[in-house]
Amino acid sequence: MRKNHYVRAVQTMTFEIRGNQFVKDGKPVKLISGAVHYFRNMPDTWEDILLKLKAMGCNCVETYCAWNMHEKVQGEYDFTGILDIAKFIETAGKLDLMVIVRPGPYNCSEWEFGGLPWWIQCDENIEIRCMNKEYISHFDKYLDRLCAEIKPYLFTNGGPVIMVQCENEYGYYGDDKEYLTYLKNGFINRGIDVPLFTSDGTSKEDLLDGTIEGCLSTVNFGSRVEENFKAHDELFPDSIKMCMEMWNGWFDSWGEKEHHTTSAEDYAKVVDDMLARGSLNMYMFIGGTNFGFTSGANHYETFTPDVTSYDYDALLSENGDITPKYLAVREVIKKYVDYELPEIPQNRERRAYGKCTLTESVGFFESVKKLSTPIFSNVPKCMEKYGTGYGFIAYQTTLNRDYKDAELLLESLGDRAQIYINDTLVDILYINDKLKTSISANKGDTLTILCENMGRANFGSKMMRKKGIAGRCLIDDRIHFNWNVYPLPMNNLENLEFTNNKFNEKSAFYKGKFNVDKKCDTFLKLDNFTKGFVTINGFNIGRYWEIGPQQTLYVPRSILKRGENEIIVFESDGLKGEPIVEFGVEHILGASN
């Protein structure tokens, strides 16, 4: 656990709420904050991002915390590297930025399962975000550990953390006031003695269900300041007015036609309106990236998984570039501060490393036993039952008789399944389209169902839906028994045995080498590939899918090495051409809306 080596160079150290004002060191202060998620941005970029935040005129930075990253395995905590929240807070403090922390346990943020760890779903008695004793027992241990990281950096301890969130947008979700009170008291009992707050939607119902006495009520919206404070003004007429998430863009989902963008001029006007009325946190200052399998999903009538990029059309681009929106907002902020803004730092260098042919490959079916040990099941069960939460899972069985145009039905699917007879792809099932197909096969043939978890819902009532096959597999309206199940988290590809042969299988791994003379940010283009994910030097940079809108993947400089680098692509749906990728300087997120 990190000790606090950061000491503020001031004599008075107070931050409090007095009536309808924030007061820092005895003087009223307007919070001008921007959202930066440490876990979506590489540590070597944190200082650059925060310097740009300060140069825009902000005096504060806000961040969520990601429980599912800090406790990937139950009882094992990680606060290193990209997860070193203490280092992130310390970096902000050294730049004289205040910090707002939003610990969770739930964070939404278009993040896998809203930041909750997948393994809590293994407890059949669990009910999230309420006074469920199993849920509480899990998050209490996590908050014990997280608060130990944060506590040394509280303003009351000489650090930069001025406020901590109690729960996130709870008014959209539920109405368990006992749960909210338990969380509030839990933070206080852990020594979190800075102001606590909640953030919610703008309707009266959102605020009535989501707020709790003793926590400052803040609201989230992206436009129409006066209108969106109407209910808040009625319920909390004498309270501070703060927009905790002033949305400046939106997230993209796979299959959408366009990349979401918003007008720089319009957003600057909203910032102006809000600063005239109170304080704000701009969501996002920089969106960053959903590396690996961390992107979330929405699930209402249909399931809509989010893309790898979390660019969000934010004030900084995904790779940290200054945008026109940044410059427009900076001009507005100048009107509300009494100090000269620092010079804007230069954008980080990008570099095009050119085309790379992936010269080695190995088929999925040849590799499955190199990646996983089979687990026998009478019937298929959900991914979580086999002790894995992310990536893929393969269900394999031997057919007992001949089938001719027999109906194969999955009772439940999360989220996408490829149906193979022996090594031949028969069909692809998707939760939004269909859960059944027809198969023709001979006795003794192997049926394989390869399922992909494309991200758990991060918002709403369907968050607890399981992944993989969460129900029976019926063939000819009969339950098919006896399966070997291969969990495939795809977090270690070292056992793959590549050759120079070309594979005709739809699903295969491809490997290549490329050289780097200078480590710079770059963007990966996969025009000849259809769907899958990419690792570079063992780091999973995320998913790709030809349906867009995202067309390139961000490759941060910190994962590259001078000299030879390794790239592995898992292609699940089959190549469209030669296995060639290209590293360029242009990030293509799709046409702007």
Side-chain angles (χ1 to χ4, degrees), residues 560-581:
L560 300 177
K561 302 182 294 186
R562 288 195 64 182
E564 189 174 77
N565 292 256
E566 177 188 85
I567 176 172
I568 295 177
V569 179
F570 175 61
E571 171 55 54
S572 66
D573 285 25
L575 291 173
K576 297 183 292 183
E578 291 298 310
I580 299 172
V581 299

Side-chain angles (χ1 to χ4, degrees), residues 484-501:
N484 281 321
V485 182
Y486 296 84
L488 297 163
M490 300 294 195
N491 55 3
N492 186 348
L493 305 181
E494 292 182 359
N495 290 333
L496 293 176
E497 295 182 359
F498 288 92
T499 70
N500 292 322
N501 297 325

Side-chain angles (χ1 to χ4, degrees), residues 361-368 418 420-425 450 501-510 570-576:
S361 57
V362 61
F364 168 77
F365 288 98
E366 184 178 344
S367 303
V368 65
Q418 293 171 289
Y420 285 89
I421 299 297
N422 298 323
D423 298 350
T424 301
L425 181 65
L450 176 61
N501 297 325
K502 290 186 177 181
F503 283 86
N504 294 321
E505 294 176 11
K506 288 288 186 182
S507 299
F509 297 87
Y510 298 87
F570 175 61
E571 171 55 54
S572 66
D573 285 25
L575 291 173
K576 297 183 292 183

Side-chain angles (χ1 to χ4, degrees), residues 89-100:
I89 294 172
E90 188 173 300
T91 303
K94 287 179 178 177
L95 297 175
D96 278 334
L97 288 167
M98 295 176 281
V99 179
I100 296 170

Side-chain angles (χ1 to χ4, degrees), residues 394-458:
Y395 303 86
Q396 198 167 80
T397 186
T398 301
L399 298 175
N400 299 321
R401 62 176 174 85
D402 294 346
Y403 291 95
K404 177 65 174 177
D405 296 326
E407 181 183 86
L408 181 149
L409 171 68
L410 304 180
E411 288 185 338
S412 177
L413 173 61
D415 302 306
R416 191 172 186 264
Q418 293 171 289
I419 312 300
Y420 285 89
I421 299 297
N422 298 323
D423 298 350
T424 301
L425 181 65
V426 173
D427 203 352
I428 296 176
L429 307 182
Y430 189 42
I431 185 172
N432 293 335
D433 301 329
K434 59 180 181 177
L435 297 184
K436 62 183 179 181
T437 188
S438 63
I439 62 170
S440 295
N442 298 320
K443 178 180 179 180
D445 282 349
T446 299
L447 167 66
T448 303
I449 304 176
L450 176 61
C451 293
E452 179 183 2
N453 166 11
M454 296 189 63
R456 290 178 181 81
N458 52 260

Side-chain angles (χ1 to χ4, degrees), residues 364-389:
F364 168 77
F365 288 98
E366 184 178 344
S367 303
V368 65
K369 291 183 180 178
K370 303 286 185 183
L371 296 170
S372 181
T373 300
I375 302 169
F376 177 79
S377 272
N378 296 121
V379 296
K381 299 176 183 178
C382 64
M383 174 184 280
E384 293 81 2
K385 287 289 188 181
Y386 300 101
T388 191

Side-chain angles (χ1 to χ4, degrees), residues 12 77 102 149 249 261 278 300 310 357 365 390 409 445 470 484:
T12 55
Y77 298 98
R102 303 168 79 183
E149 293 286 322
T261 59
Y300 303 108
Y310 198 61
T357 301
F365 288 98
Y390 308 117
L409 171 68
D445 282 349
N484 281 321

